Amino acid sequence: MNLHKARLYSASRLSDLALTELNIDNALIERVGESQYQKTIAGRVYLVVEVQYAIFPSQLGSLTIPALRFSGYEVSGRTSFFNRGNRVIRTTEAHTVTVAALPDGQPAAGWMPATEVTLEEQWSAAPDSLTVGEPITRTLTLTASGLTGAQLAPLPAADGDGFKSYPDQAKLSETSDSRGVVGQRIESTAIVPQQPGELTLPAITVNWWDTASDRPRRATLPERTVTVAA
């Protein structure tokens, strides 16, 4: 993910402010923030309009971020519905960035570059003691800062002996703020023990790439052993 910011500085108030859409070939774009604030430059107060985008390239090589155009009307004491003041049009500069290849040894399938990844579990009931034939639902939540929900790879299947599992359809979502996009993948599975005794659920590990430290990392839920009653 690459964060791109476009800013407009104006010494006067503006109305009917508009901004052209950001469109880039071979990239997914999410508008993650928009704000207005004041900033003093060389003793003069400016109104700053800032728009932020998260850009997810899908192809290697050069990626051109095109210019964006702000437009609006200056607000003054004489401004009215029929006379909106002088029109203001400003254009940002275009930028070209290089999209690098994956690090050596990293597979394209399941590639997850992020700044933070967490893996959590919840149960529909206490998993300390189970009963043969009675289902219990295990819900796994994978959260990644810097990816959309659709970019999160499916979690490894928790297959093992002594139980049957019935996975539900995964739920994908994302939220956006000034820091970027946070994606989430939720997978729920009904687990039905088939025999009494000890039941071991294998560990679940998700490999991801830490873009802040530029190194591989893992998010893991440890192996869990529970007792199944007859």
Side-chain angles (χ1 to χ4, degrees), residues 129-152:
S129 60
L130 306 179
T131 303
V132 172
E134 293 187 2
I136 185 172
T137 300
R138 184 191 199 188
T139 300
L140 303 178
T141 301
L142 178 65
T143 306
S145 299
L147 294 171
T148 65
Q151 291 176 301
L152 301 183

Side-chain angles (χ1 to χ4, degrees), residues 5-9 37 39 48-51 70 90 92:
K5 298 181 181 180
R7 296 188 184 96
L8 171 68
Y9 293 82
Y37 54 91
K39 186 174 183 178
V48 183
V49 180
E50 180 178 285
V51 182
F70 286 94
R90 296 292 184 270
T92 64

Side-chain angles (χ1 to χ4, degrees), residues 25-27 57-64 97-103 108 111:
D25 293 335
N26 303 316
S58 59
Q59 184 173 304
L60 300 178
S62 297
L63 180 72
T64 298
V97 297
T98 300
V99 181
L102 300 184
W111 169 246

Side-chain angles (χ1 to χ4, degrees), residues 33-81:
E34 181 176 345
S35 60
Q36 295 188 20
Y37 54 91
Q38 290 185 337
K39 186 174 183 178
T40 302
I41 303 176
R44 191 172 187 182
V45 178
Y46 288 84
L47 170 68
V48 183
V49 180
E50 180 178 285
V51 182
Q52 300 183 64
Y53 298 90
I55 302 175
F56 303 88
S58 59
Q59 184 173 304
L60 300 178
S62 297
L63 180 72
T64 298
I65 303 174
L68 296 174
R69 189 183 74 169
F70 286 94
S71 63
Y73 294 88
E74 291 182 339
V75 177
S76 64
R78 299 179 180 179
T79 301
S80 66
F81 178 80

